Each structure stands twice: as structure tokens, then as C-alpha cells.
Amino acid sequence: MTEELLTKFKNILVTGGAGFIGNNFIRKVIKTKKNKIFNIDKISYCSNKYSLQEFEQNFPNNYEFYQINLIDFDKIRDVVQKVQPDLIIHFAAESHVDNSIKNPKVFLKTNILGTFNILNSIIKNKLKIKFIHISTDEVFGSLKLNNSKFNLKSSYDPKSPYSASKASSDHLVRAYGNTFGLKFNIINCSNNFG
């Protein structure tokens, strides 16, 4: 976390802030009390509900929570309009490859339609903001022991419904950047822990 991020962006909207990565991001940023954090999360099997109570109790002036499913465009658009974020960090996603094999439709809805709804809410509200999309290295496929590492020029080669849905959302973000001039970064994470 750079000091520039904390000072440049005052209103930060986080999607998936009750999940593992989003929750730890909020925990790090909120302690500085320099930013207002707006957290959108649907609350699912992998959510840390207790941390939400902690944030609300300990940082009432720096934290707001909205329990919304990203597939509900009207609610997403309304929250984005209300909070007027400078920065959106999009952590929210269905994860776990095994789950995507059992129920791929949920992954398509959340990871593709949910990303589309966030992007569309930015455009509909005519916001000039920064968008950071948290993705996965799995969009590049699988490596064998003697293969070279993935890099920014690696071709997409998703191998599961999960990685295909994340690859699709990556392409949506790039398309919105190209078409609408949205400033964005895509971060392809690998097995986060910490």
C-alpha cells in the first residue's frame, strides 16, 4: 500500500470487502483514518461478517457497508452515485475452481455481469475515477515445472469456468478503458495469503 494511494484517493469504494483479500485491504487502509471506505458485499459463505462489525464500531466516520449483490445494477448504480468514489477496487468475485465446476452459472453472473454492472455504473454516473480490477493468474492457464513464468504479454488460456469468468471480466475492463477512457489497472494475483 503506497502513501500516494492513501493521499490521492479520499473516497474508496471496495467491492467484496468482506472476503479475504478485500477485508485485509480495508483493515490496512482504514487504520490511517485518511480515507472514507465504502464496502459493497453480498455476504456469502466466504465472508468475514465479524470484521464488518469491527470496522463499523471502531471507524464510524471512515466506513460504510452496503449489503448488495453485484448483479443488482440499480442498487450498484445508486450507491456509486451516492458515494461518488475517487477509486473503485473490485475484489468481489466467486472463487474456488471446484465450485465453478459444480455451478458455473453463479460464476458467470457474479464475475462477468457483476463486473459489467460496476463498470456501467461508473459510466452512467459520468465519473472520472480510477478502477482497479483484482483478477487471477489462472486466466493464463497452467504452467509445467520447466515453463517460463507468466508475464503481461502472456496469452489468455483459461482452464475452468472460474478462470474463464475472470478472463471475461478482464476483457470487459480493458474494453471499457478503450471505449470510455476509464483509467484502470488489472492485477492478476496468485494464491493470496497474508
Side-chain angles (χ1 to χ4, degrees):
M1 181 68 48
T2 65
E3 186 65 30
E4 178 187 7
L5 177 71
L6 296 175
T7 55
K8 185 174 182 181
F9 302 108
K10 295 298 178 195
N11 289 341
I12 301 174
L13 182 108
V14 173
T15 69
F20 181 72
I21 309 169
N23 187 276
N24 280 288
F25 171 81
I26 292 173
R27 187 171 303 285
K28 174 99 172 162
V29 171
I30 204 163
K31 289 177 183 176
T32 68
K33 297 185 181 179
K34 294 181 180 181
N35 312 86
K36 180 90 178 195
I37 305 293
F38 304 93
N39 178 12
I40 295 176
D41 199 295
K42 72 177 183 179
I43 304 299
S44 69
Y45 68 95
C46 58
S47 299
N48 181 348
K49 295 182 234 176
Y50 301 106
S51 67
L52 304 181
Q53 295 166 353
E54 175 191 336
F55 297 150
E56 288 170 345
Q57 289 171 359
N58 296 330
F59 304 97
N61 298 321
N62 298 86
Y63 179 81
E64 286 182 30
F65 173 67
Y66 298 90
Q67 185 171 350
I68 301 173
N69 191 323
L70 291 182
I71 63 172
D72 188 335
F73 173 71
D74 291 335
K75 287 183 180 176
I76 296 299
R77 180 200 58 219
D78 292 349
V79 168
V80 170
Q81 183 178 32
K82 177 185 173 187
V83 306
Q84 294 288 303
D86 312 297
L87 170 67
I88 294 178
I89 305 181
H90 181 38
F91 293 101
E94 295 292 336
S95 61
H96 302 92
V97 171
D98 292 348
N99 290 345
S100 79
I101 294 167
K102 292 175 191 167
N103 192 356
K105 189 173 184 179
V106 173
F107 283 70
L108 299 179
K109 282 182 174 180
T110 299
N111 297 353
I112 300 172
L113 181 58
T115 300
F116 169 77
N117 285 341
I118 291 287
L119 294 168
N120 220 21
S121 70
I122 295 167
I123 302 309
K124 295 289 183 190
N125 286 302
K126 299 179 180 169
L127 299 179
K128 301 291 183 196
I129 68 170
K130 177 81 169 190
F131 184 80
I132 298 177
H133 179 63
I134 307 302
S135 187
T136 175
D137 66 328
E138 292 192 36
V139 299
F140 302 119
S142 301
L143 289 177
K144 296 190 173 152
L145 287 176
N146 55 352
N147 288 96
S148 59
K149 296 176 185 176
F150 296 128
N151 61 53
L152 293 176
K153 295 183 180 180
S154 296
S155 297
Y156 275 47
D157 188 23
K159 302 288 188 192
S160 68
Y162 164 66
S163 57
S165 69
K166 292 300 286 182
S168 298
S169 63
D170 289 2
H171 291 314
L172 272 174
V173 172
R174 283 193 183 89
Y176 268 68
N178 183 61
T179 304
F180 300 105
L182 176 68
K183 294 179 182 174
F184 71 91
N185 289 101
I186 297 174
I187 300 172
N188 298 100
C189 305
S190 174
N191 293 338
N192 295 281
F193 186 81

